Amino acid sequence: MLILKTLALEPIHGYGIAIRIEQISRGVFRVNSGSLFVALQRLQRDGLINSEWRATENNRRAKYYLLTDHGRKRLNAETRAWGRQAAAIARILEAS
Amino acid sequence: MSLLSHLASGLRSLFRKRDADRELDEELSSFLETALQEKLKQGLTRSEALRQVRLERGTLASAHEEVRSTAWESFFQTSWQDLRFAARMLAKSPSFTAIALLTLALGIGVNTSIFSLVNAILIRPLPYPDSAQLVGLGQSRVQQGAGYIQTGVSYPNVLEIDRQNTVFEQVAYYRFHSYNLIADNAPERVLSFQVSAGFLPMFGVAPQIGRVFTPAEMQPGSDAIVIISYGLWQRRFAGTPDILGKLVTLDERRYTIIGVMPRDFQFTWDAPVDVLVPLALSPAETGEAARTSRDLETLARMKPGITHDQAQSEMNAVAQRLAQAYPAANNGWNITVEPLHAAYYRHLTQPLFVLLGAVSFVLLIVCANIANLLLSRITARRREISIRLAIGASRHRLIRQLLTENLLLAAIGGFFGLVLAYWGAFILRTRVIQLQGFPGIKQMHLDWRVLLYTLALAFLTSFVFGLLPALHASKTNLNDSLKESSVSLSSDSGHRRLRSALVVVETALAIVLMAGAGLLIRTFAHIVGVDLGFNPANAVSLWIDLPKYKYSTGVQQSAFFRDALQRIRAIPGVESAGSFDGQGAVFFTPGAQQRPAPGQEPTARELSISPDYFRAMGGKLLAGRDFSAADTAGTTAVAIINRTMAERYWPKVNPLGDYIVPLAKIYNTQDQAASQTLAIVGVVADIKLSTDVWKDQPEFYVPAAQVPTASASVIIRASSDPTALIPAVRSAVLEIDSAQPINHVRTLADMISANLDFLRFPMALVWIFAALALLLAAIGIFGVMSYSVSRRAQEMAIRIALGAARRDVLKLILREGLGVTLLGVPIGVGVSLALGRLIATYLYGVSAYDPLTFLAVALLLFTVALLACFLPARRASRTDPLIALRYE
């Protein structure tokens, strides 16, 4: 879900995804290359993201990932579900 | 949608492995490179930056591995890898692989062959459409002395069954008959079925050419038509296409061929039937008097949905009604319904299961062998396994790899086993005479059931017995095994105990098989040595079958045989000649005793003989006299009884002068001549002419002059080789009747060996199994000892270096090996004794607990074990201490 959200803003390459997740989460999530690319492979095979080779800022070749329509729909659905769950947990924790 | 894309990308990376790997590597290295750049920008040194990147982001290799392993196609990639590795490992230890494959192939091959036999006969349904609904009907009763008797059904009773039943779609019946067949002037004796109109339709089989019989053709006079077999068509008519309408002569009557049976059609387990004719019964054969002629083999097809139990209970009711309506003929007789499959193979079920049991024992030995081999191998490779675990292989992956090796072994061994089984099935199908007649035999191929069985066997032996060692190996304590040298470790002794236990089991199983074999071999020897009661040297037998239409009265028949025997005796070189003809089994009352209650009557076989029969056979007269020319149709009715009959029914009393009162024939009451009181005038030693020579059957003889027969076997004893006299005998017979052939000429010695032939196949199997068991046990012991010696090479070297004589080392190893064997022997003997009851029914002349046999078997195994241990022991004693101590 986090990867999908990251890609919702703009297509980026693998390292960019890792950096962005770390930045936005303020260092809570640290992304290991293995686990990142495992997730990327799964998402791609599920048809939620697509990939293409492009040139980076430094003119190197990197694989850029984009969100598909299917992926966008999934992101919205999961965000809503996550919101509901979080609210429910919060209510439970507040009740005493 | 996602499934498809999963599949697509998985397949892409499977078949384009290098491209996919390269792409992933490129992406990963770009990632890591970028991370490195970031770190450098922060001002770290290169080495520190590298270290941090590795810590935070992982390495190329590990990331690559992680990504790949979560993809589904990696399973296939790693499996393929495993397979190639397994093949290499197996090739690297050729002796292990060879022994394992040999053992597997033998075990699986033998088992599959036997199973395909059992499959063809017992498991597969009969090769007719909807054969489960076919049943055989018979009349039966329980008879004192003879036990359970089952006969055919008499014609009037068949009609009643047909009329009264509600469970059968159709009832059909037939009768055996043999004819003199003449086609193109060449005579031949053929076996035939006289069949009812419903016979062929009931089997659902249509003739390959032509048509079936119609009910109208079942009348005498309209029945001069015949359907011939495929074999006859090829043999006598060269398979000519316009076969219909051709004529054959059966017993000098012309029949028109109206059909040819299909090639594979077979419905009897006797000699093949070449000719089908309509069963046209004469009025005498269909009237009330024929109700006691229980000579029709009867079959029926049950209606769809009817079960055997339903049919049987209805037949029970019908039998009761028949017994009440016609008590004289049917009282005490029941009607049995038996599935046709069971009727055919009833007598084979138990022997086949015993066979299957024996061959399973062989399989167990094979399993023990394989388990032992695999266990040894795993232990030997423990170092290698530990290293792999230490480097980072997961246990799961390691077990998978070990199991792949076992699977490969199983596959190759199973394949060879299948080849062996194919060959074995071929031998069984074509070379074993006893099996030739069975309907299922020609189709005894390796069908899907057999293949499944083979697969299961291969899987069971290799995979299952390899699983435990593999699991055990993966739990190895890394520290210990990495430190180890060739010195045995504590965990080794656990393995050693297991291996020894396996050898004990193998030895015990081998003992059981060999003991059984030994008992059967001794039985066979006894059977061959039975006193047959006659002298087979220089004697020959032949059949003369007089056609009934030409020799219709007893007077004509007796006259012919009297004349023929006279002429034969006159031939120079002939010492004596006589004739005999079996009249079937008879209920009788001995002497002046009260007529016993129905079901209690004793039975005996009746034979009609000429004077001089006993002389021609070389039989022995024990008391009284032989028949002579003075015993004619007009004089007192006399009989000679055999020793068994005398001892059984006149125990301790001289039977001479007493009487036999025959009551009725069990099977067929036509030709009911010997039904009056017979005076006993002589006692002879038993003459055993049939295949079951180990049984003592009561028999009595009556003069042919008083009980004439149309067919008889003529026995001729000559002063030297009797076969040289046959042409003279033939012309002597032709002088009396120029159209009368003599058939089936063979010497008495050949007849004996033909009778014994039916035992040869089981005996061959017995020898094969015993040899196999011994061989496999020897291989097992050899393998274990070999391995044990090679592991302890260092220990042996130390012993020798310290001063032990080579002979002491030899003795040490031998003692160890034989000690294990010694444990297995009494266990095996114990199990054999426990199973003694199972085999007792097949034994003759030797008890199931015979100590001599067991002793011999134990000694044999011990000797073989000694030999098997000897080679490894010698190798151990030849260890060169210098080399062994340096070597690990």
Side-chain angles (χ1 to χ4, degrees):
Chain A
M1 188 173 61
L2 299 180
I3 296 177
L4 292 179
K5 177 67 183 171
T6 315
L7 289 177
L9 306 174
E10 54 166 352
I12 32 168
H13 53 68
Y15 187 72
I17 297 174
I19 292 296
R20 192 155 297 177
I21 290 179
E22 281 166 23
Q23 281 174 348
I24 295 179
S25 72
R26 303 212 188 129
V28 173
F29 290 116
R30 204 149 256 287
V31 178
N32 176 287
S33 66
S35 40
L36 174 69
F37 284 99
V38 164
L40 283 175
Q41 184 185 72
R42 188 169 38 86
L43 287 173
Q44 182 162 8
R45 288 197 176 181
D46 278 342
L48 299 176
I49 60 178
N50 260 333
S51 67
E52 59 183 24
W53 286 96
R54 286 192 203 164
T56 66
E57 311 87 44
N58 315 346
N59 252 341
R60 306 171 91 159
R61 236 166 72 94
K63 215 179 201 184
Y64 276 74
Y65 292 91
L66 331 95
L67 201 59
T68 62
D69 289 335
H70 197 57
R72 204 170 288 275
K73 275 191 228 141
R74 174 71 65 87
L75 176 61
N76 292 334
E78 289 204 3
T79 314
R80 277 198 303 275
W82 175 252
R84 277 203 300 274
Q85 282 175 347
I89 293 174
R91 278 201 302 277
I92 292 171
L93 289 176
E94 279 171 22
S96 39
Chain B
M1 163 63 205
S2 67
L3 185 63
L4 219 58
S5 62
H6 261 273
L7 211 63
S9 43
L11 284 174
R12 204 184 316 131
S13 80
L14 196 60
F15 292 114
R16 294 238 130 95
K17 190 165 186 299
R18 246 177 308 185
D19 292 341
D21 278 346
R22 206 162 22 90
E23 202 173 307
L24 181 61
D25 277 343
E26 203 178 328
E27 190 176 359
L28 282 172
S29 62
S30 145
F31 180 94
L32 291 170
E33 187 61 35
T34 321
L36 186 63
Q37 293 303 328
E38 289 295 311
K39 290 281 177 201
L40 289 174
K41 270 196 223 153
Q42 289 171 13
L44 297 166
T45 62
R46 189 166 178 85
S47 55
E48 182 60 24
L50 275 171
R51 193 183 74 89
Q52 283 196 3
V53 165
R54 278 209 193 106
L55 272 176
E56 294 168 10
R57 306 292 179 193
T59 60
L60 182 70
S62 64
H64 186 116
E65 188 55 41
E66 212 175 321
V67 174
R68 275 283 157 256
S69 62
T70 55
W72 64 268
E73 70 270 13
S74 77
F75 177 75
F76 291 99
Q77 284 171 343
T78 46
S79 300
W80 178 242
Q81 236 179 3
D82 285 344
L83 207 62
R84 282 166 52 196
F85 185 71
R88 267 211 314 276
M89 290 308 290
L90 287 180
K92 269 216 261 188
S93 38
S95 54
F96 160 81
T97 312
I99 293 182
L101 285 180
L102 178 70
T103 311
L104 270 177
L106 280 176
I108 292 179
V110 162
N111 267 278
T112 307
S113 305
I114 298 297
F115 182 76
S116 65
L117 180 66
V118 171
N119 182 38
I121 292 184
L122 292 183
I123 300 180
R124 272 219 305 250
L126 292 173
Y128 318 122
D130 210 8
S131 64
Q133 295 301 102
L134 290 174
V135 292
L137 302 176
Q139 292 190 260
S140 64
R141 65 189 288 173
V142 178
Q143 187 68 22
Q144 177 211 57
Y148 175 78
I149 298 175
Q150 184 162 331
T151 69
V153 186
S154 63
Y155 182 74
N157 282 346
V158 166
L159 289 185
E160 288 296 324
I161 292 176
D162 205 4
R163 206 176 298 146
Q164 293 188 26
N165 86 85
T166 60
V167 291
F168 298 136
E169 221 169 62
Q170 190 164 42
V171 176
Y173 40 92
Y174 65 96
R175 203 164 56 178
F176 285 102
H177 197 85
S178 53
Y179 289 103
N180 282 339
L181 177 141
I182 301 181
D184 296 332
N185 288 330
E188 178 188 346
R189 191 120 193 107
V190 292
L191 200 57
S192 86
F193 277 175
Q194 296 171 332
V195 300
S196 68
F199 182 80
L200 278 177
M202 201 175 75
F203 278 100
V205 175
Q208 189 173 333
I209 305 176
R211 63 172 180 86
V212 297
F213 301 129
T214 64
E217 284 155 349
M218 298 292 141
Q219 301 297 324
S222 323
D223 61 333
I225 51 176
V226 76
I227 300 177
I228 64 174
S229 73
Y230 184 88
L232 190 69
W233 179 40
Q234 297 293 321
R235 214 167 57 233
R236 300 304 299 273
F237 298 94
T240 168
D242 55 341
I243 182 75
L244 298 181
K246 284 212 187 312
L247 297 171
V248 290
T249 306
L250 299 173
D251 279 359
E252 296 182 21
R253 185 179 170 211
R254 296 188 98 77
Y255 288 75
T256 314
I257 298 179
I258 63 156
V260 177
M261 292 187 269
R263 178 182 196 154
D264 286 327
F265 187 51
Q266 216 173 338
F267 45 82
T268 172
W269 53 94
D270 286 316
V273 164
D274 273 322
V275 153
L276 292 180
V277 291
L279 180 66
L281 296 171
S282 64
E285 289 173 309
T286 56
E288 186 55 35
R291 200 174 286 276
T292 44
S293 296
R294 289 171 279 267
D295 61 348
L296 292 180
E297 307 288 337
T298 310
L299 313 163
R301 180 176 279 280
M302 297 191 296
K303 292 186 180 145
I306 299 286
T307 65
H308 291 117
D309 291 329
Q310 287 174 298
Q312 179 66 70
S313 43
E314 184 170 283
M315 284 300 112
N316 289 341
V318 169
Q320 273 195 322
R321 286 201 288 270
L322 285 178
Q324 279 171 341
Y326 307 98
N330 291 329
N331 196 14
W333 289 94
N334 195 8
I335 299 177
T336 53
V337 176
E338 196 176 19
L340 201 60
H341 194 177
Y344 278 3
Y345 298 136
R346 196 190 309 128
H347 57 291
L348 278 185
T349 316
Q350 205 194 19
L352 277 179
F353 274 117
V354 169
L355 199 60
L356 210 57
V359 94
S360 309
F361 267 51
V362 171
L363 188 69
L364 282 176
I365 299 182
V366 165
C367 290
N369 252 347
I370 295 285
N372 236 336
L373 285 169
L374 290 175
L375 199 60
S376 310
R377 194 167 147 77
I378 292 278
T379 318
R381 288 171 60 186
R382 217 179 359 177
R383 198 98 176 274
E384 169 218 329
I385 291 171
S386 314
I387 293 178
R388 289 165 70 193
L389 284 173
I391 289 182
S394 67
R395 290 181 200 275
H396 159 84
R397 193 74 183 73
L398 191 74
I399 293 175
R400 254 180 65 194
Q401 197 274 311
L402 291 173
L403 286 181
T404 310
E405 265 182 54
N406 292 346
L407 216 62
L408 190 62
L409 259 183
I412 301 180
F415 174 74
F416 283 125
L418 214 60
V419 168
L420 208 65
Y422 187 78
W423 181 73
F426 176 75
I427 299 265
L428 285 173
R429 195 169 60 230
T430 53
R431 296 266 188 280
V432 179
I433 326 165
Q434 294 81 1
L435 298 175
Q436 282 313 310
F438 291 97
I441 273 297
K442 295 236 174 59
Q443 286 98 354
M444 189 177 87
H445 303 302
L446 304 180
D447 68 1
W448 64 267
R449 278 189 204 87
V450 173
L451 287 175
L452 204 64
Y453 184 78
T454 312
L455 232 75
L457 281 186
F459 185 79
L460 176 78
T461 48
S462 284
F463 205 78
V464 169
F465 285 99
L467 191 67
L468 259 146
L471 283 174
H472 186 96
S474 69
K475 293 204 189 79
T476 318
N477 183 321
L478 291 184
N479 231 347
D480 286 340
S481 39
L482 280 175
K483 278 194 286 187
E484 98 170 56
S485 52
S486 298
V487 179
S488 315
L489 291 178
S490 54
S491 66
D492 221 13
S493 66
H495 278 198
R496 189 148 25 133
R497 266 200 295 272
L498 185 59
R499 274 202 304 276
S500 304
L502 284 173
V503 171
V504 169
V505 167
E506 261 186 273
T507 317
L509 287 172
I511 291 274
V512 171
L513 275 179
M514 283 163 52
L519 288 174
L520 286 174
I521 291 171
R522 288 192 63 186
T523 300
F524 188 56
H526 279 122
I527 289 177
V528 169
V530 162
D531 178 15
L532 297 171
F534 62 94
N535 178 7
N538 285 342
V540 76
S541 96
L542 53 93
W543 294 353
I544 297 183
D545 301 285
L546 301 174
K548 289 240 178 78
Y549 74 94
K550 220 200 253 184
Y551 296 85
S552 48
T553 66
V555 174
Q556 290 172 312
Q557 293 159 2
S558 311
F560 176 93
F561 279 107
R562 209 172 35 238
D563 201 359
L565 285 173
Q566 210 173 356
R567 281 173 202 262
I568 292 175
R569 288 181 193 123
I571 297 174
V574 170
E575 279 183 2
S576 51
S579 72
F580 80 96
D581 185 38
Q583 298 297 296
V586 163
F587 299 112
F588 71 97
T589 306
Q593 301 171 21
Q594 270 262 319
R595 184 192 166 125
Q600 305 284 331
E601 304 102 330
T603 61
R605 276 190 70 216
E606 178 186 356
L607 294 105
S608 158
I609 62 170
S610 72
D612 263 9
Y613 165 69
F614 295 117
R615 247 186 59 187
M617 287 295 282
K620 207 164 115 175
L621 192 66
L622 298 173
R625 66 168 179 87
D626 191 2
F627 297 141
S628 66
D631 297 302
T632 63
T635 59
T636 325
V638 290
I640 298 176
I641 63 177
N642 74 355
R643 190 214 308 258
T644 304
M645 189 161 168
E647 284 174 358
R648 204 177 280 189
Y649 299 109
W650 286 268
K652 301 193 177 15
V653 168
N654 187 354
L656 294 180
D658 202 350
Y659 295 90
I660 308 176
V661 184
L663 298 169
K665 299 217 180 163
I666 299 181
Y667 297 101
N668 190 343
T669 52
Q670 309 291 68
D671 314 320
Q672 244 287 45
S675 53
Q676 70 273 52
T677 315
L678 304 169
I680 302 176
V681 298
V683 182
V684 291
D686 287 11
I687 293 181
K688 299 188 176 195
L689 285 174
S690 53
T691 49
D692 39 1
V693 295
W694 55 88
K695 290 200 201 137
D696 291 326
Q697 319 249 30
E699 293 180 341
F700 67 96
Y701 304 88
V702 289
Q706 295 177 347
V707 183
T709 65
S711 317
S713 301
V714 173
I715 309 291
I716 303 172
R717 178 165 299 276
S719 45
S720 60
D721 180 23
T723 48
L725 303 171
I726 291 301
V729 172
R730 193 171 279 126
S731 33
V733 170
L734 288 174
E735 275 171 36
I736 311 177
D737 181 343
S738 56
Q740 182 58 45
I742 61 177
N743 304 306
H744 208 71
V745 179
R746 49 180 183 165
T747 64
L748 288 188
D750 282 344
M751 189 172 70
I752 294 177
S753 91
N755 280 348
L756 287 178
D757 257 352
F758 91 105
L759 282 179
R760 291 197 204 286
F761 167 59
M763 283 318 300
L765 281 184
V766 163
W767 278 106
I768 290 176
F769 283 0
L772 213 55
L774 196 57
L775 178 69
L776 288 171
I779 291 178
I781 296 175
F782 176 78
V784 163
M785 291 311 300
S786 246
Y787 169 72
S788 158
V789 158
S790 68
R791 295 275 305 156
R792 293 163 65 185
Q794 250 199 357
E795 175 197 335
M796 298 298 132
I798 292 174
R799 281 178 195 264
I800 295 177
L802 286 180
R806 294 191 185 270
R807 210 155 28 113
D808 294 331
V809 174
L810 185 78
K811 280 201 290 203
L812 177 73
I813 302 289
L814 278 181
R815 237 206 333 264
E816 243 183 63
L818 292 178
V820 165
T821 314
L822 230 49
L823 197 56
V825 167
I827 296 179
V829 169
V831 172
S832 302
L833 292 175
L835 293 177
R837 218 157 25 99
L838 277 180
I839 208 180
T841 44
Y842 298 102
L843 297 181
Y844 173 73
V846 62
S847 130
Y849 310 107
D850 178 52
L852 194 63
T853 313
F854 283 100
L855 196 65
V857 161
L859 276 176
L860 183 61
L861 187 74
F862 196 76
T863 316
V864 168
L866 189 71
L867 286 172
C869 292
F870 187 71
L871 238 70
R874 208 165 66 134
R875 197 157 28 101
S877 69
R878 295 247 180 98
T879 324
D880 186 339
L882 288 177
I883 297 180
L885 282 171
R886 268 186 272 150
Y887 211 7
E888 281 204 1

